């Protein structure tokens, strides 16, 4: 197969904005602030609103709350005051045959206004109409003066850029006016939009009533007069939708090829003989849930295939993913391969290590924990035995991904809590063996929109069932003045022999003071609130040994209350802990709160999550807290999160590998995303993408846009 290295030929579109007529260094600097560097950037800098200047409205029909354009003659003008004489203002009353309206200036030069708007002056005015009871006003309107003998028709003709059509309104930076901007952009679009290549196959476009890029861009800037303003403003017009489709198509094509590429690759074909899984099943104190069994079936199927597995395992906190991962590991191990498990934090890695080692040891298998904080000697020894193949299962943070770590025979790579890692980590892990199988696990339910993009090249299995006997966690919100009620609930639980977490947020730039707050709180809780109980403190700045000591003391029940910064966020598993108090709960994101809450409710008893917010918090924070109180369902929480934060921030854009779109909006355009995905996957199936001359252009465009970010070069 030829490697995919060809690039799109350089074109006019890649040129700097300097080269555009009407853009001098001064304006260019301003455009740069908007992130606009090339001609293509500029073409995609679309209006965020439109203004309807197709025809003038009679004054009687001007609608409050809208930007309107109207003709009028000055009837009276002069300086006056606001009603309670608070402020001076300049008022001009204008009228047409239908009605009158008042124009007001609060910041002005009097002599200038006097000269500009004498009684009898005719003009076209542009501005937002406001209504005060029955009165309508426009503040600080723009105006185009008409000379005594000129007519409206003449004005429209003489200035076709600003009148008689639907006008674009652009997101601006300071120091550029709409009018200036429009003028520059008009020329720019006229001259350069035709250079946009029309690469999507015609039959795909026409199937969905879409138009080529050049047309779509042109009309998005300057819609024809018969366009629907409502559709334009909602971004549902078929020009904007054509642009969205174009973006989605190439992304999905990339994902389709990635998936195909993996399917074509030679991988390990494992034999499933249940040499370890049957004994493990016998040892477990419980039966696998149906969901766990089903998911394990998917994974086994994949592992038996001669191509690498690339599967996402999604399941809410506490649904039993870890056990599934262990079972999958045992299949690789019985085939003589090693397994690597990568976790996002040291605490979680340790936690996994403890869980896995417990069972592995009973099965006569060896597990190692690789940590950033190991001594050089311990590390060297560990690396040697990994390279020699003496260790079957290697667990660690991204330390496992480091260059120095060499496996004897890596057969399966598992990434836990994938949302903390980027797409690239998957690639790194893959290259640690000869196309090992990859399993990524996440407790963050991924709304469909995102699973079509972010994880679009993975097959997905979902554990949609909790182990039996779990009671829903009860979540309560306590304002500061009811703090004692929260404490007394904790006391009740402690009396029953249960344990508690008290969690403090860590905000990066105030790490120290938060740490002090947590430390002070631990002392205070021990001395004043819970004098009969043992209180422990766990935070991110401790050495691993210390952390481990504290965690195991908590696990063994020697500590009743664990005060912690968010280091316990993921994966910690102490079933006897039945209550969690979260301080400054408003400072956490929804996903984080849900993860935290998942640390309780792991046994059969009723568990509680108590939220105490700061004295003051934002409206969004209030929404988050309400969501937490109202549901335990991780999927609904994720959807709410997506809604509150928007897709960009949902998973921390770049880091999570979520593509940013120029035009598309994941919330608005889901339907189109599904359509584009189908078309792209079809296209990828039908064309011999790598050798076909017909698809050469498509291929080059795809690489130009997504090559680096999707690691497509790996296909070659
Ligand atoms: P996750 O990783 O999905 O958050 P874990 O794998 O940590 O969940 O499982 C949570 C708890 O449930 C653990 O204590 C685990 O031993 C237990 N568990 C897992 N599967 C089952 C099952 N089928 N029945 C009962 N308990 C289970
Ligand atoms: Mg887990």
């Amino acid at each position: 197969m030829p490697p995919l290295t060809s690039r799109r030929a350089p074109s006019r579109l890649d040129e700097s904005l300097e080269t555009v007529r009407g853009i001098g260094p001064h304006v260019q600097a301003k455009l740069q602030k908007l992130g606009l560097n090339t001609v293509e950037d500029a073409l995609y800098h679309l209006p965020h609103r439109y203004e309807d200047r197709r025809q003038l409205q009679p004054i009687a029909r001007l609608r409050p709350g809208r930007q309107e354009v109207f003709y009028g003659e000055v009837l009276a003008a002069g300086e006056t005051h606001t009603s309670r004489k608070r402020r001076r203002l300049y008022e001009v009353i204008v009228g047409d045959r239908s009605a009158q309206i008042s124009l007001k200036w609060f910041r002005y030069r009097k002599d200038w206004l006097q000269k500009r708007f004498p009684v009898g002056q005719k003009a076209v005015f542009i501005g937002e109409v406001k209504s005060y009871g029955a009165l309508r006003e426009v503040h600080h309107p723009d105006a185009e003066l008409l000379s005594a003998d000129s007519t409206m028709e003449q004005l429209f003709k003489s200035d076709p850029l600003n009148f008689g059509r639907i006008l674009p309104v652009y997101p601006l930076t300071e120091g550029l006016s709409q009018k200036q901007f429009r003028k520059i952009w008009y020329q720019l679009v006229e001259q350069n939009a035709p250079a946009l290549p029309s690469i999507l196959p015609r039959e795909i476009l026409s199937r969905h009533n879409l138009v080529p890029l050049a047309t779509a861009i042109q009309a998005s800037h300057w819609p024809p007069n018969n366009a629907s303003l409502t559709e334009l403003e909602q971004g549902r017009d078929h020009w904007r939708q054509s642009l969205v489709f174009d973006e989605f198509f190439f992304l999905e094509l990339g994902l389709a090829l990635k998936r195909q590429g993996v399917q074509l690759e030679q991988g390990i074909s494992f034999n499933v003989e249940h040499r370890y899984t049957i004994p493990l099943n016998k040892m477990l104190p419980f039966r696998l849930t149906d969901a766990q069994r089903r998911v394990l079936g998917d994974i086994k199927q994949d592992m038996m295939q001669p191509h690498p597995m690339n599967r996402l395992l999604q399941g809410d906190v506490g649904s039993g993913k870890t056990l599934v991962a262990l079972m999958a590991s045992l299949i690789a191990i019985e085939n003589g391969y090693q397994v690597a498990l990568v976790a996002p934090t040291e605490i979680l890695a340790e936690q996994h290590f403890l869980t896995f080692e417990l069972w592995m040891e009973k099965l006569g298998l060896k597990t190692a924990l690789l940590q950033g904080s190991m001594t050089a000697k311990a590390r060297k020894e560990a690396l040697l035995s990994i390279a020699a193949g003496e260790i079957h299962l290697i667990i660690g943070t991204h330390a496992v991904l480091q260059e120095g770590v060499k496996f004897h025979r890596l057969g399966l790579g598992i990434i836990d809590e994938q949302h903390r890692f980027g797409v690239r980590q998957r690639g790194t892990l893959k290259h640690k063996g000869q196309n090992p199988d990859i399993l990524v696990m996440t407790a963050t339910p991924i709304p469909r929109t995102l699973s079509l993009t972010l994880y679009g090249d993975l097959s997905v299995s979902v554990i949609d069932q909790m182990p039996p006997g779990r009671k829903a966690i009860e979540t309560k919100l306590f304002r500061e003045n009811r703090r004692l009620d929260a404490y007394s609930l904790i006391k009740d639980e402690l009396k029953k022999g249960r344990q508690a977490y008290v969690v403090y947020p860590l905000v990066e730039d105030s790490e120290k003071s938060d740490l002090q707050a947590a430390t002070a709180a631990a002392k205070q809780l021990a001395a004043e609130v819970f004098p009969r109980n043992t209180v422990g403190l766990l935070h991110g700045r401790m050495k691993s040994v210390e952390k481990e000591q504290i965690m195991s003391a908590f696990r063994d029940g020697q500590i009743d209350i664990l005060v912690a910064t968010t280091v316990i966020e993921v994966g910690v598993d102490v079933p006897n802990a039945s209550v969690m108090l979260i301080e400054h709960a408003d400072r956490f994101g929804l996903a984080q709160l849900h993860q935290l809450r998942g640390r309780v409710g792991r046994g059969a008893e009723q568990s509680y999550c108590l939220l105490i917010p700061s004295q003051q918090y934002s409206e969004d924070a209030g929404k988050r807290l309400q969501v937490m109180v109202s549901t335990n369902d991780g999927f609904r929480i994720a959807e709410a999160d997506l809604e509150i934060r928007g897709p960009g921030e949902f998973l921390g854009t770049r880091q999570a590998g979520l593509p940013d779109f120029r035009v598309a909006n994941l919330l608005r355009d889901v339907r189109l995303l599904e359509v584009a995905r189908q078309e792209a996957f079809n296209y990828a199936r039908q064309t011999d993408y790598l050798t076909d001359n017909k698809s050469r252009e498509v291929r080059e465009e795809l690489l130009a846009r997504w090559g680096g970010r999707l690691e497509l070069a790996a296909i070659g």
Side-chain angles (χ1 to χ4, degrees), residues 528-539:
E528 295 165 26
V529 191
F530 304 104
R532 298 214 190 110
N533 300 98
T534 328
V535 178
L537 176 66
L538 183 73
H539 61 77

Side-chain angles (χ1 to χ4, degrees), residues 55-101:
Q55 39 184 312
L56 304 188
Q57 295 295 333
I59 290 175
R61 285 222 234 119
L62 299 181
R63 288 150 299 178
R66 297 193 62 111
Q67 186 85 11
E68 297 271 34
V69 191
F70 55 95
Y71 162 84
E73 184 178 334
V74 176
L75 304 174
E79 204 161 34
T80 166
H81 290 278
T82 50
S83 51
R84 281 183 216 122
K85 304 221 166 178
R86 291 228 178 90
R87 246 174 118 184
R88 273 189 323 153
L89 63 94
Y90 197 88
E91 182 170 26
V92 172
I93 309 281
V94 300
D96 61 7
R97 274 183 223 137
S98 72
Q100 295 179 4
I101 190 164

Side-chain angles (χ1 to χ4, degrees), residues 541-603:
R541 294 201 170 180
M542 286 172 149
K543 294 211 182 78
S544 323
V545 208
E546 288 176 286
K547 279 194 260 181
E548 207 169 318
Q549 275 168 1
I550 297 281
M551 273 315 297
S552 63
F554 188 59
R555 211 174 283 118
D556 299 343
Q558 292 157 22
I559 291 176
D560 303 312
I561 303 168
L562 184 64
V563 176
T565 55
T566 50
V567 283
I568 60 157
E569 188 185 335
V570 273
V572 175
D573 191 15
V574 179
N576 191 47
S578 63
V579 54
M580 170 177 289
L581 169 66
I582 304 179
E583 296 279 358
H584 297 289
D586 56 296
R587 289 213 231 151
F588 293 93
L590 263 179
Q592 230 182 345
L593 285 171
H594 182 60
Q595 285 280 354
L596 279 171
R597 179 168 62 182
R599 298 311 110 214
V600 295
R602 308 207 132 214

Side-chain angles (χ1 to χ4, degrees), residues 315-323 348 351-352 416-417 441-443 570-572 595 599 602:
D316 211 341
V317 195
S319 62
K321 296 184 292 297
T322 314
L323 196 63
L348 183 54
Q351 177 75 44
H352 275 319
D416 195 18
E417 306 299 345
M441 307 197 288
T442 182
V570 273
V572 175
Q595 285 280 354
R599 298 311 110 214
R602 308 207 132 214

Side-chain angles (χ1 to χ4, degrees), residues 215-246:
T215 319
I217 284 282
Q218 240 157 349
S220 295
H221 288 277
W222 295 94
N225 272 356
N226 62 1
S228 149
L229 207 67
T230 330
E231 275 184 11
L232 284 172
E233 302 221 307
Q234 294 174 349
R236 295 185 196 277
D237 60 278
H238 83 294
W239 304 290
R240 191 75 67 130
Q241 294 283 289
S242 298
L243 298 176
V244 171
F245 183 88
D246 186 82

